[in-house]
Amino acid sequence: MVDIMKIEGKLLGEKTALRSYRKSDLDFVSGIWFDGENGKYLSDPEKEFIDEKFQRAVDGLEDSPLGFYFVAELEETGVPVGTCCAFPDDGGTAYDIGYCVHKSYWRQGLGMDMVTTLIKWIRSVGGKRVTAEAARENSASCELLKKLGFEVVKESSFKKYNMNVAYDSFIFGKTL
């Protein structure tokens, strides 16, 4: 039997609370990930490039055995403001993370709070190392990771799913 990766309750940060993704979040996350501006530096495609295979994967996120998918809410109001995820290695000691803040909440410190909260949780479940990939030209994300003590461990690139768009990127790493 494959374990579904969810948490009970919420992970509390200073500004945000992270909770496991639910199917009822689909419209919110789709509005972020598949938006040309908001999802520009994600590997997810813009909505017109979503095929049946990709849609099935998104539809199954709630029961994913591959990683933890979270929705970030403002702690005080419960309003959703972003998403993040964590993918453990086989031993659960290294996690690759991703994050995205809804564009109407950019530049308010929410990404920093989300990633800080995620790192605290990873450490609490025995994680020893965290990695994150950021497009080289996504200066906001690169600076956020550097402020949190991440260092560039290698250069890479990624392509947006089903689109002819690619980005040079940095793989950042942090030992906990």
Side-chain angles (χ1 to χ4, degrees):
M1 183 169 156
V2 178
D3 288 337
I4 295 171
M5 297 196 182
K6 291 184 182 180
I7 61 162
E8 294 294 323
K10 295 181 179 183
L11 305 174
L12 301 179
E14 290 183 20
K15 299 178 180 183
T16 61
L18 310 181
R19 62 165 173 78
S20 288
Y21 169 86
R22 301 185 289 247
K23 284 185 171 87
S24 59
D25 296 316
L26 182 60
D27 287 342
F28 173 71
V29 301
S30 296
I32 295 177
W33 297 341
F34 311 142
D35 175 79
E37 180 184 16
N38 213 127
K40 179 177 181 177
Y41 297 118
L42 302 178
S43 60
D44 301 308
E46 293 178 18
K47 58 184 161 193
E48 58 268 21
F49 294 93
I50 296 172
D51 60 15
E52 187 177 316
K53 178 182 174 185
F54 193 87
Q55 189 62 56
R56 273 196 314 272
V58 172
D59 289 345
L61 289 181
E62 183 177 36
D63 300 322
S64 177
L66 303 175
F68 295 89
Y69 290 91
F70 300 100
V71 169
E73 302 172 331
L74 290 177
E75 190 176 348
E76 291 185 7
T77 63
V79 172
V81 295
T83 63
C84 53
C85 55
F87 299 94
D89 67 1
D90 289 338
T93 59
Y95 286 74
D96 188 52
I97 64 169
Y99 52 92
C100 186
V101 177
H102 190 283
K103 62 188 174 187
S104 62
Y105 294 95
W106 285 352
R107 295 174 195 74
Q108 297 180 30
L110 300 179
M112 181 76 72
D113 191 66
M114 289 165 47
V115 174
T116 299
T117 303
L118 201 53
I119 289 170
K120 286 179 185 173
W121 171 74
I122 290 169
R123 186 180 286 123
S124 78
V125 296
K128 305 289 184 212
R129 182 141 181 89
V130 179
T131 58
E133 184 173 20
R136 181 186 298 249
E137 64 185 70
N138 185 351
S139 58
S141 191
C142 291
E143 288 304 312
L144 182 152
L145 292 167
K146 288 176 187 175
K147 284 180 184 175
L148 288 172
F150 283 78
E151 296 179 350
V152 174
V153 293
K154 74 178 191 177
E155 295 184 19
S156 188
S157 65
F158 66 91
K159 186 177 177 198
K160 289 183 81 62
Y161 179 88
N162 213 22
M163 295 176 68
N164 192 25
V165 175
Y167 292 102
D168 290 331
S169 63
F170 295 117
I171 306 294
F172 288 88
K174 177 181 175 81
T175 301
L176 304 180

